[in-house]
Amino acid sequence: MSQTTDLKFSNLVLLVPLSSTLILWTVLLVELRLGINLNHFGVYPRTISGLLGIFFSPFIHASIEHLYNNTIPFAVLLASLFYFYRSISWKVVGYGLLLSGVLTWIIGRPSYHIGASGMIYMLASFIFFKGVFSRHIRLIALSLFVVFVYGSMLWYIFPIQEGISWEGHLSGFLSGLFLVYMVDTVIPSEKKYEWEKEDYDEKEDEFLRHFDKDGNFIDEFGGDDQDETIRVTYHYRENDGE
């Protein structure tokens, strides 16, 4: 069933990114405060216990630097999703979390895969391809913004750096692209002016009625065809004393 894309501000645009970011930092601060390590709750491919990581891994980070690098893009992309695709935003987040986690569990190396980067790649992929395929000017502009700011992330879906879960990145990227086709939304039609419509008739145009066939402005009050006489009446009183 199609959903409507309504480009209007909602409290969720701020509430969801802020609350999600707060949860991420709270988890890491609890780890540091209590001196514990929650990495074993990450995705460990092809094991039963590793399936828990599908739900927990996005909230777990290895260090402050790791979380810091993920915070801003995660918040920005999440806010963009809830503003431009509010009616389907929860579906994209829920399905994206499951799909990217399951795919990581299937193709990943035997190691704990943690961090919100998989969700970041899913959001970036969805927002970019959805905007391009929609051919809506504002959504295309959003896609260009994603490419301009986060385009360099594309290289990290390949195994170019040791210690980075490129499998998680690739899983998120493919999940976002998949959701473009699976989660449908009705793109708002562009506003058309009267002269752009197929049934447009110049004779019925209120503005063009002020011009003649040669494009000259028609003076509703007579214009140059009538002589206008300006009369000024002076009122005065003779001074009887002089």
Side-chain angles (χ1 to χ4, degrees):
M1 181 177 179
S2 299
Q3 302 291 333
T4 302
T5 297
D6 45 356
L7 304 183
K8 297 180 180 179
F9 183 81
S10 168
N11 291 333
L12 293 177
V13 176
L14 295 177
L15 183 60
V16 173
L18 289 176
S19 58
S20 299
T21 301
L22 180 61
I23 293 174
L24 297 182
W25 280 96
T26 299
V27 171
L28 180 62
L29 292 176
V30 168
E31 285 188 89
L32 296 176
R33 181 68 176 177
L34 300 181
I36 59 177
N37 191 320
L38 300 178
N39 288 355
H40 58 280
F41 284 103
V43 174
Y44 200 95
R46 296 172 296 282
T47 64
I48 300 300
S49 60
L51 289 172
L52 292 175
I54 295 174
F55 305 98
F56 297 138
S57 62
F59 303 99
I60 305 170
H61 291 81
S63 63
I64 293 179
E65 181 182 5
H66 182 203
L67 178 54
Y68 175 77
N69 291 333
N70 283 342
T71 297
I72 296 178
F74 182 64
V76 170
L77 292 171
L78 202 56
S80 300
L81 177 71
F82 275 84
Y83 179 77
F84 289 94
Y85 301 98
R86 182 175 57 183
S87 59
I88 59 171
S89 54
W90 288 114
K91 287 185 179 180
V92 174
V93 171
Y95 292 156
L97 177 67
L98 290 174
L99 288 174
S100 59
V102 169
L103 192 54
T104 301
W105 185 83
I106 294 174
I107 68 174
R109 292 164 291 174
S111 176
Y112 287 108
H113 297 257
I114 59 175
S117 55
M119 290 294 293
I120 293 173
Y121 275 80
M122 184 277 296
L123 292 170
S125 176
F126 177 84
I127 292 172
F128 172 75
F129 288 110
K130 197 69 170 179
V132 171
F133 295 156
S134 70
R135 294 183 294 182
H136 186 279
I137 186 65
R138 295 179 68 179
L139 300 182
I140 292 176
L142 178 62
S143 298
L144 295 178
F145 168 79
V146 170
V147 170
F148 179 77
V149 178
Y150 302 115
S152 60
M153 297 193 314
L154 182 64
W155 297 108
Y156 293 97
I157 66 175
F158 305 106
I160 62 174
Q161 185 173 342
E162 188 67 25
I164 292 181
S165 177
W166 64 269
E167 300 97 327
H169 298 170
L170 178 61
S171 298
F173 181 84
L174 295 177
S175 298
L177 179 58
F178 178 74
L179 290 175
V180 170
Y181 296 97
M182 295 302 297
V183 181
D184 191 21
T185 182
V186 177
I187 305 301
S189 58
E190 295 285 352
K191 178 182 178 180
K192 285 190 176 183
Y193 296 96
E194 291 295 328
W195 52 269
E196 293 181 304
K197 297 179 179 179
E198 295 181 359
D199 59 348
Y200 171 69
D201 185 359
E202 292 185 0
K203 297 180 180 180
E204 300 297 328
D205 193 304
E206 291 292 336
F207 178 73
L208 292 181
R209 288 181 180 180
H210 296 286
F211 299 87
D212 60 22
K213 62 180 180 180
D214 297 321
N216 299 314
F217 182 74
I218 301 174
D219 190 341
E220 296 180 357
F221 301 100
D224 297 332
D225 297 334
Q226 297 181 2
D227 294 330
E228 295 185 0
T229 302
I230 301 177
R231 297 182 179 181
V232 179
T233 302
Y234 294 92
H235 297 274
Y236 65 94
R237 180 173 60 86
E238 293 183 358
N239 192 339
D240 299 332
E242 294 184 2

